[in-house]
């Protein structure tokens, strides 16, 4: 029997692009079903992430028009990662495979064919990987590539040039449900589950309509979340740097004592001020990094829900 596929689409203020991309997702399901690769019971699951525009009204309207459209709405905006997680957890007991993809139409929807083929060949996770960034500006290309390299250097296990366009089987999602972190970085957490995986390359296009909701500020915040949620390497670096500074300080103390005994000491404020400022700066940076981890621990201990679904386009009792 063909696999049931759920395409999970997080949406935040997407009233401009949703009417354009929704039919594209539906057509892809029909094409894959017609080819015998997936079941006609497959669905497109939209996740409204507390949008302030008419996104939810559009999703509700689509669901009324065609049974292949489904929608859930979060009680408030909780961020892209939480929205994707909500959709995956909602879909895991209803399907065999999921494909998460953004609503903006930038990710090549035809790459789903290759993803499904890889699943049929035995892969439980298939990562969509950008083959090039020719459509990006130099600044966007530089910051994005630096983002992945920096994450890898800091010990976070990520797939280079992969965002959140991926196929994940329900078998993997059942195991992933045991990951209870509140601080989410899905592109680094999914590889931790294991299972057979592969990558599918695709070209990313320009956004079809609307504005991007992922500026540099959010990308930097995501990088910090990824590093502090998946790696303790920054703490090890602090320890190493602290030992280095302590060793240099010890050498400095010996030099000062020898200079004083030889009667060559000269009173001066510049050197003292530089040393104090340097050490103080290092201490504040280290405290800031440690504070990030303490903050993560603080949020984890609260065990707050990672998402709350306030509405569905179907009757949950059915």
């Amino acid at each position: 029997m063909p696999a049931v596929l759920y395409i999970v689409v997080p949406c935040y203020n997407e009233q401009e692009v949703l009417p354009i991309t929704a039919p594209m997702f539906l057509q892809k399901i029909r094409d894959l079903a017609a080819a015998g690769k997936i079941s006609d019971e497959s669905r497109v699951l939209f996740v409204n992430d507390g949008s302030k525009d008419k996104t939810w009204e559009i999703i509700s309207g689509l669901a009324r028009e065609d049974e292949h459209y489904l929608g859930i709405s979060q009680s408030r905006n909780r961020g892209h990662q939480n929205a994707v997680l909500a959709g995956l957890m909602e879909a895991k007991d209803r399907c065999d495979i999921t494909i998460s993809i953004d609503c903006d139409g930038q990710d090549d929807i035809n790459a789903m064919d290759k993803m499904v083929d890889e699943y049929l060949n035995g892969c439980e996770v298939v990562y969509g990987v950008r083959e090039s960034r020719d459509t990006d500006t130099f600044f966007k290309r530089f910051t994005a590539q630096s983002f992945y390299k920096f994450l890898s250097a800091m010990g976070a296990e990520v797939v280079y040039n992969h965002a959140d366009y991926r196929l994940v089987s329900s078998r993997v999602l059942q195991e992933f449900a045991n990951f209870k972190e509140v601080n989410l970085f899905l592109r680094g957490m999914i590889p931790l589950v294991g299972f057979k995986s592969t990558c599918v390359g695709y070209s990313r296009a320009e956004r079809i309509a609307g504005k991007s909701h992922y500026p540099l500020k959010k990308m930097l915040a995501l990088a910090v979340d990824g590093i502090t949620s998946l790696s303790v390497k920054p703490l090890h670096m602090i320890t190493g740097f602290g030992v280095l500074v302590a060793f240099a300080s010890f050498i400095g103390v010996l030099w000062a004592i020898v200079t004083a005994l030889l009667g060559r000491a000269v009173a001066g404020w510049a050197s003292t001020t530089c040393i104090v400022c340097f050490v103080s700066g290092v201490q504040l940076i280290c405290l800031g990094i440690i504070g990030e981890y303490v903050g993560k621990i603080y949020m984890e201990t609260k065990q707050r829900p990672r998402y709350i679904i306030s509405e569905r386009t179907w009757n949950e009792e059915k």
Side-chain angles (χ1 to χ4, degrees), residues 136-158:
D136 292 344
T137 62
F138 171 79
F139 179 74
K140 175 66 175 179
R141 188 183 311 118
F142 174 78
T143 54
Q145 292 175 342
S146 299
F147 169 80
Y148 290 102
K149 292 178 181 178
F150 183 63
L151 284 174
S152 297
M154 289 294 103
E157 185 180 348
V158 293

Side-chain angles (χ1 to χ4, degrees), residues 14-297:
E14 300 288 6
Q15 65 177 10
E16 296 179 11
V17 71
L18 190 55
I20 303 174
T21 55
M24 295 169 57
F25 298 137
L26 178 57
Q27 187 59 48
K28 177 53 62 179
I29 280 183
R30 288 173 173 167
D31 291 344
L32 289 170
K37 294 182 179 181
I38 64 173
S39 169
D40 188 57
E41 296 299 315
S42 300
R43 298 288 185 265
V44 181
L45 176 60
F46 296 105
V47 184
N48 176 41
D49 188 23
S51 299
K52 299 177 181 178
D53 60 6
K54 297 181 179 180
T55 295
W56 179 241
E57 286 81 352
I58 295 174
I59 293 173
S60 299
L62 290 170
R64 288 191 297 269
E65 293 173 4
D66 194 302
E67 63 178 2
H68 289 90
Y69 290 121
L70 298 175
I72 59 175
S73 182
Q74 298 205 86
S75 59
R76 62 179 295 271
N77 176 253
R78 294 179 181 270
H80 179 270
Q81 297 293 283
N82 296 70
V84 175
L85 178 69
L88 294 177
M89 293 298 101
E90 189 76 12
K92 67 181 175 62
D93 296 322
R94 299 170 174 270
C95 66
D96 300 300
I97 49 177
T98 64
I99 296 180
S100 56
I101 184 173
D102 288 341
C103 186
D104 54 22
Q106 288 187 276
D107 295 323
D108 183 10
I109 194 172
N110 292 318
M112 291 186 185
D113 296 69
K114 298 179 182 178
M115 289 181 175
V116 173
D117 287 339
E118 293 294 346
Y119 167 76
L120 296 176
N121 289 331
C123 290
E124 301 283 350
V125 181
V126 184
Y127 301 101
V129 177
R130 292 187 62 172
E131 294 179 328
S132 67
R133 290 183 174 272
D134 296 336
T135 58
D136 292 344
T137 62
F138 171 79
F139 179 74
K140 175 66 175 179
R141 188 183 311 118
F142 174 78
T143 54
Q145 292 175 342
S146 299
F147 169 80
Y148 290 102
K149 292 178 181 178
F150 183 63
L151 284 174
S152 297
M154 289 294 103
E157 185 180 348
V158 293
V159 178
Y160 187 72
N161 268 342
H162 163 70
D164 287 294
Y165 186 21
R166 71 180 75 85
L167 178 149
V168 183
S169 71
S170 60
R171 181 185 177 194
V172 173
L173 290 177
Q174 295 294 340
E175 299 299 331
F176 185 68
N178 296 320
F179 286 60
K180 302 299 183 181
E181 288 97 325
V182 173
N183 301 283
L184 297 175
F185 186 68
L186 297 179
R187 66 190 72 175
M189 294 170 65
I190 295 294
L192 297 178
V193 184
F195 292 93
K196 185 178 179 180
S197 64
T198 189
C199 297
V200 166
Y202 71 95
S203 298
R204 191 171 169 86
E206 296 286 347
R207 185 181 177 90
I208 294 179
K211 299 184 297 183
S212 172
H213 303 298
Y214 239 82
L216 178 61
K217 181 180 178 181
K218 285 190 175 182
M219 182 179 289
L220 292 174
L222 186 63
V224 172
D225 281 342
I227 294 168
T228 54
S229 297
L230 298 171
S231 173
V232 294
K233 189 172 182 178
L235 295 178
H236 295 160
M237 294 175 64
I238 289 175
T239 302
F241 191 63
V243 171
L244 181 63
V245 172
F247 179 75
S249 300
F250 178 71
I251 299 298
V253 170
L254 291 179
W255 173 80
I257 292 174
V258 172
T259 301
L261 291 175
L262 294 176
R264 299 175 182 175
V266 178
W269 62 270
S271 58
T272 303
T273 301
C274 289
I275 293 173
V276 171
C277 290
F278 173 73
V279 174
S280 299
V282 170
Q283 288 178 332
L284 289 174
I285 292 173
C286 294
L287 285 173
I289 295 175
I290 294 172
E292 285 288 336
Y293 282 92
V294 173
K296 290 289 190 297
I297 296 171

